Amino acid sequence: MGKWLQSTETLTFQVAERVARITLNRPDKRNALTPQALTELNDALLEADDRTDVHAIVLAGAGRDFCAGYDLAGAYAGQGAGDAPVYRSANGTIDDDCWQLEQTQKKTLAMFDIHKPVIAQVQGNCLAGGTDLALMCDMVVAAENARIGFPAARANGTPPQNMFVYHVGPQWAKRLLMTGDWISGRDAARIGLVMDAVPADELEAAVSELARRVALVDAELLAAHKRVVNLSLELAGARTMQRLSAEMDARAHLSRGPRRSQFRADMAEHGLKTALKNRDEPFGDGQVRLGSERKSV
């Protein structure tokens, strides 16, 4: 395969004209994230960052969706079912939970840490863990009808990797997280959550042209540009905030409120479909609407 990338069961990896295209490739599962998918994504990013024929990277999702989040069926399966005593539990203690979340962060922070720029190409659902990926990229271009948000905030926890406030400021970060509502790609561009939004049938062409233009610049210069901006974010606390986000998510997992308790019970007794239905149904379609769009519905 390559120096870093040893398997591609959950993604595809292609390089052409100084651009590496990494495509999450579980379309039947809406590109939901599993431990294997995260490992392969991390390895693919390192592969692209190390290759001298790559100047820029595109992160995309196959099929209708960019990424609908973490694989909750896998995450909730077998909780408390007797992990080997020499290893930490999944979330038996707040410290174990933090530790597990931090191991995931080491992979999902790769977009931020590598030297080469990463452009997210977002269509369809970009929810929960999908935002963990997209908002760590250097630029995000979305389809106008994309659905971007963190509905898990309604009953599951707070984002374990949180860049919302750095993109949209405190009020919009609170608006999105305190309701778990989603926002369209078009409106996400209006509030600064993504850089730009285009019609869905023009998305790949728009991202490819942006990546082509970025990749015309020498890789060393691109690294300098990326790192000086990211160092500014670090000085504003963005990197420390990720550690704190993991701890806040672990704390949120300990919630025993009715909505959190109901979700856990539904998962145990009825499965994911029922748990999501009961979690989200009181919120209606869950879409944030701005200005004239709000008045027209």
Side-chain angles (χ1 to χ4, degrees), residues 47-90:
E47 183 77 20
D49 206 32
D50 201 2
R51 284 181 53 159
T52 58
D53 60 339
V54 172
H55 288 197
I57 302 164
V58 171
L59 177 61
R64 295 178 300 171
D65 302 297
F66 173 73
C67 174
Y70 292 96
D71 187 338
L72 289 182
Y76 278 79
Q79 285 192 344
D83 293 313
V86 294
Y87 295 112
R88 290 177 181 266
S89 65

Side-chain angles (χ1 to χ4, degrees), residues 258-274:
R259 292 189 59 79
R260 174 69 175 149
S261 299
Q262 183 65 52
F263 187 89
R264 293 172 67 92
D266 285 341
M267 285 293 296
E269 297 173 21
H270 307 292
L272 179 60
K273 185 175 181 180
T274 296

Side-chain angles (χ1 to χ4, degrees), residues 107 121 143 165:
K107 298 170 183 175
Q121 176 180 307
V165 72

Side-chain angles (χ1 to χ4, degrees), residues 3-157:
K3 178 178 175 181
W4 300 92
L5 185 60
Q6 299 299 312
S7 66
T8 55
E9 292 185 28
T10 66
L11 53 76
T12 63
F13 182 89
Q14 300 170 313
V15 176
E17 298 181 342
R18 297 182 297 277
V19 176
R21 178 172 282 270
I22 301 169
T23 305
L24 306 176
N25 193 29
R26 301 179 71 222
D28 57 323
K29 300 295 184 181
R30 297 187 171 185
N31 298 317
L33 298 172
T34 63
Q36 180 182 11
L38 289 168
T39 295
E40 290 188 350
L41 174 58
N42 179 74
D43 292 348
L45 289 163
L46 292 173
E47 183 77 20
D49 206 32
D50 201 2
R51 284 181 53 159
T52 58
D53 60 339
V54 172
H55 288 197
I57 302 164
V58 171
L59 177 61
R64 295 178 300 171
D65 302 297
F66 173 73
C67 174
Y70 292 96
D71 187 338
L72 289 182
Y76 278 79
Q79 285 192 344
D83 293 313
V86 294
Y87 295 112
R88 290 177 181 266
S89 65
N91 57 8
T93 69
I94 190 169
D95 188 64
D96 283 0
D97 201 346
C98 287
W99 190 90
Q100 301 289 0
L101 291 167
E102 287 164 6
Q103 303 321 300
T104 298
Q105 276 190 351
K106 290 176 181 178
K107 298 170 183 175
T108 53
L109 282 169
M111 287 80 68
F112 188 90
D113 288 337
I114 63 174
H115 289 216
K116 291 173 183 174
V118 185
I119 303 167
Q121 176 180 307
V122 171
Q123 85 282 4
N125 288 302
C126 177
L127 302 175
T131 66
D132 287 351
L133 301 186
L135 299 184
M136 273 293 164
C137 292
D138 300 294
M139 290 173 271
V140 184
V141 181
E144 290 179 338
N145 62 355
R147 295 159 51 99
I148 304 170
F150 210 96
R154 295 169 176 167
N156 303 71

